Amino acid sequence: MDTKAYIEDVYGQICRRSAGEGEFHQAVDEVLRSLEPVLERHPEYVDAGIVERMSEPERQVMFRVPWVDDQGVVRVNRGFRVEFNSALGPYKGGLRFHPSVNLGIVKFLGFEQIFKNALTGMAIGGGKGGADFDPKGRSDGEVMRFCQAFMTELYRHLGEHTDVPAGDIGVGAREIGYLFGQYKRITNRYESGVLTGKPVAWGGSHARTEATGYGTVYFAQEMLATRGQSFEGRRVVVSGSGNVAVYAIEKVHALGGRVIACSDSSGYLVDEEGIDLDLLKDIKEVRRERISAYADAKPTARFSARGTVYDVPCDLALPCATQNELRRDDAAALVKNGVIAVAEGANMPCTPEAVEVFREGGVLFGPGKAANAGGVATSALEMQQNAARDTWSFQQTESRLAAIMRDVHAQCRETAETYGANADDYVLGANITGFLRVADAMTAQGVV
Ligand code: NDP
Ligand code: 2IT
C-alpha cells in the first residue's frame, strides 16, 4: 500500500464531506502529515479505519439559543457541541463564545482536543462547543440569560461521565457559574464534575485559572532547557490579554523573564519596563476594558492600533489569542529579530506557513496541543477532586501540573526520535503520541 496516497485520499474525502470548514481542514492536514511513518509501521490502523473514524465526530449538536436582551429585544444565536472522540474518557473540552464561532471552528478545536487530551495521559476524550454570541458590551444580566438559554438545550448532552465542558474564549468563571446554576436547576442534581473551571469556593480546582498560561511557560522552559537556556533576563512577547495570556505573563515574570508586549483584538501594547500585571488584570478581568486603557494609565507604555505585537523584537514569543493570528510575515519578523522559541498558548495561532518559517530558522516551536495542554490537564485534576469530594492545595495542584507538562514535553521528544525525526520536532512528536494512545484504545474497543 502507498501510505502517502492513502493519506491524501482520506484527506480529500474529509475536505469534500466538510466543504467550507477551512480551519478543520487545516488542523486535520497537520495531523495527517505526521502519520505517514506510523501507518507504514502499523498497517493494522489502516485496516481498522482508525484515521477515517478519528476524523469524523462521534456526534455533533447544533441548536437555537433564543434570549431577550436588556431592551426587551429577542435575540437568536447558534449553539454547538461537537463530541469528537470518547475512546479515552468522557468528551472534554471548552466552550467558546465569540461572534466568529461556526461549525468548522468548533470541529477544528474538537479535533485538536482529542490529541491534546490524550497527550496529558489523563482519562479524557475530546470535544468542543460554543456559540456565535458576542459577550462584549453585554451586561451581566444579558450574559446570564444567554448562558441559561444555552444550557437549557445543552444539558441533555452532558454529564460527569458523558461530556464535561469548560471555558475557552469568552467563557470564564462568570459564565461557568451561570451555566452550572442552570444545569443544577434543570436536572435537580449537584453534579460538580459536569463542568470544570468552577470557582474554588464551590468545587473548582486551585490553579485551574492559571493552568493554561503557567503550563505554556513550563513547556517553553523545558524546550529552552534542551539548549541550556532559560527565561532569566529574556524579552518576551505575548499575544492576547485574556485568561491564557495573563497567567503566561505572570509565570514568565516569576521565572525572571520580562514580558514587554501583549495585545487584544484592537491593537497591541508595549511597556519596556515589563507589563504591570496588577494593572492589566484590573483592566481586563475587573473592568473588562480595552487594552489601550493600560497606556492611558501608565506613561512608560505605548498603544498601537496598527501592525502586530510580533513587530516588537523579542527572544521568545507566546501567541495566546486565537487561531491563525501569527502569519508568515510575523514569523519572518520574529526570526529576523532573533527569536529563540515560540510556544502556542492558543489553539493553532500559527499558520502552517509561519511554522515552516520557524522550522527553517531553527526556532524551537511548541505546538498548542502540547504547549497549552496544562489547562485541560488541570480540568482533569478538577474532575478527580470532584469525584473524590476533595480539595487539593494550590501547591499540590500546581506541582501536578508542572509534572504533567514535563512529561508531555519528554513524550513529544521521545516519540519524534522513535519515528525517525529530530527530537526538536514537537509537531510530529505531539501528533504521533496523541494518535497512538487514541488509536490503541479505539482498536481495543472494536468498530464503534
Ligand atoms: P479569553 O477570552 O480570556 O481571551 C482571548 C484573548 O484573545 C483576548 O485578549 C482577545 O481580545 C483575543 N482575541 C480573541 N479573538 C481574537 C481575534 N479574532 N483577533 C484578535 N484577538 C483576539 O480566552 P482565553 O485566554 O481562554 O483563550 C485564548 C486562546 O487560548 C484560545 O485560542 C483558546 O482556544 C486557547 N486555550 C484556552 C484554554 C483555557 O483554559 N482558557 C486552554 C487551552 C487553550 P479581545 O478581548 O479584543 O477579543
Ligand atoms: O482548548 C482547551 O484545551 C480548553 N479550552 C480547555 C478545555 C478544558 O476542558 O479545560
Side-chain angles (χ1 to χ4, degrees):
M1 185 202 58
D2 178 350
T3 312
K4 218 183 199 83
Y6 166 74
I7 289 174
E8 269 170 28
D9 183 52
V10 173
Y11 180 64
Q13 286 180 40
I14 293 167
C15 292
R16 275 192 297 281
R17 301 173 81 192
S18 55
E21 296 174 0
E23 291 85 358
F24 177 54
H25 302 170
Q26 184 183 330
V28 170
D29 186 41
E30 189 221 77
V31 171
L32 294 196
R33 277 170 197 274
S34 302
L35 295 185
E36 207 180 315
V38 183
L39 301 180
E40 301 240 313
R41 262 190 228 184
H42 298 283
E44 65 272 19
Y45 294 137
V46 176
D47 297 339
I50 295 289
V51 183
E52 291 91 329
R53 283 194 275 150
M54 220 183 265
S55 48
E56 179 69 15
E58 290 176 15
R59 188 178 299 105
Q60 314 181 45
V61 194
M62 281 172 66
F63 51 96
R64 181 174 71 197
V65 188
W67 57 284
V68 182
D69 73 13
D70 284 348
Q71 281 68 48
V73 177
V74 175
R75 304 273 175 179
V76 178
N77 285 99
R78 185 174 291 171
F80 304 86
R81 187 74 184 167
V82 173
E83 298 181 332
F84 226 120
N85 193 297
S86 62
L88 293 177
Y91 309 107
K92 184 82 197 87
L95 296 171
R96 175 177 293 190
F97 291 170
H98 192 272
S100 63
V101 167
N102 58 36
L103 183 61
I105 287 179
V106 179
K107 280 175 69 179
F108 120 65
L109 290 163
F111 184 74
E112 289 284 293
Q113 202 83 47
I114 304 172
F115 305 92
K116 184 197 302 190
N117 294 4
L119 261 177
T120 66
M122 326 280 287
I124 42 180
K128 199 83 183 193
D132 60 357
F133 170 71
D134 188 357
K136 277 203 194 72
R138 292 290 175 196
S139 68
D140 285 353
E142 290 178 315
V143 170
M144 180 183 75
R145 290 195 294 284
F146 177 81
C147 288
Q148 291 175 341
F150 183 84
M151 187 53 91
T152 300
E153 172 58 31
L154 189 64
Y155 86 93
R156 69 190 79 245
H157 305 287
L158 306 184
E160 61 177 327
H161 301 297
T162 309
D163 186 351
V164 182
D168 194 81
I169 291 177
V171 177
R174 174 181 62 169
E175 292 73 20
I176 294 293
Y178 296 146
L179 291 163
F180 186 82
Q182 185 72 350
Y183 183 86
K184 178 164 63 73
R185 173 158 77 171
I186 295 173
T187 60
N188 193 34
R189 281 163 63 87
Y190 203 108
E191 196 182 326
S192 296
V194 74
L195 286 169
T196 61
K198 300 178 294 293
V200 174
W202 47 270
S205 174
H206 282 293
R208 175 61 189 90
T209 307
E210 295 83 357
T212 312
Y214 279 18
T216 301
V217 175
Y218 285 137
F219 192 90
Q221 188 184 25
E222 292 292 313
M223 291 200 301
L224 288 171
T226 64
R227 294 191 181 173
Q229 295 170 340
S230 76
F231 270 99
E232 188 67 44
R234 297 291 183 189
R235 286 167 63 87
V236 183
V237 158
V238 171
S239 72
S241 50
N243 171 261
V244 180
V246 161
Y247 292 96
I249 296 171
E250 189 165 281
K251 187 52 81 180
V252 169
H253 287 175
L255 294 179
R258 183 153 46 105
V259 177
I260 36 104
C262 63
S263 64
D264 65 15
S265 59
S266 64
Y268 71 93
L269 174 77
V270 182
D271 185 350
E272 287 289 343
E273 282 192 342
I275 298 292
D276 176 338
L277 207 57
D278 290 338
L279 177 58
L280 186 69
K281 282 184 182 173
D282 183 52
I283 290 168
K284 300 307 285 189
E285 293 181 354
V286 182
R287 288 150 53 187
R288 296 182 190 271
E289 286 179 2
R290 312 309 297 154
I291 209 170
S292 53
Y294 182 105
D296 297 340
K298 193 151 181 277
T300 52
R302 71 179 166 82
F303 170 76
S304 173
R306 297 235 303 272
T308 82
V309 73
Y310 305 112
D311 296 336
V312 181
C314 62
D315 303 310
L316 289 118
L318 306 175
C320 296
T322 194
Q323 66 273 0
N324 291 331
E325 50 147 316
L326 194 164
R327 294 164 179 275
R328 186 205 308 263
D329 290 352
D330 300 315
L334 286 167
V335 170
K336 186 166 153 276
N337 288 328
V339 76
I340 309 164
V342 177
E344 295 186 322
N347 286 308
M348 209 169 75
C350 301
T351 64
E353 297 78 25
V355 177
E356 195 47 42
V357 172
F358 293 141
R359 196 189 296 268
E360 284 165 7
V363 176
L364 288 165
F365 175 71
K369 61 171 78 70
N372 72 39
V376 77
T378 308
S379 278
L381 299 180
E382 183 170 332
M383 291 163 73
Q384 286 185 18
Q385 291 168 76
N386 292 156
R389 298 186 182 281
D390 196 3
T391 306
W392 307 342
S393 68
F394 190 96
Q395 198 190 14
Q396 183 186 358
T397 318
E398 200 199 345
S399 69
R400 290 282 301 267
L401 165 66
I404 290 167
M405 295 314 295
R406 275 196 299 276
D407 184 56
V408 168
H409 176 268
Q411 290 284 324
C412 290
R413 292 184 72 85
E414 194 185 313
T415 304
E417 281 191 319
T418 304
Y419 281 88
N422 189 302
D424 284 350
D425 193 340
Y426 294 95
V427 173
L428 192 97
N431 288 339
I432 296 182
T433 307
F435 174 84
L436 289 174
R437 286 189 183 150
V438 181
D440 289 343
M442 287 176 74
T443 304
Q445 292 169 20
V447 180
V448 289

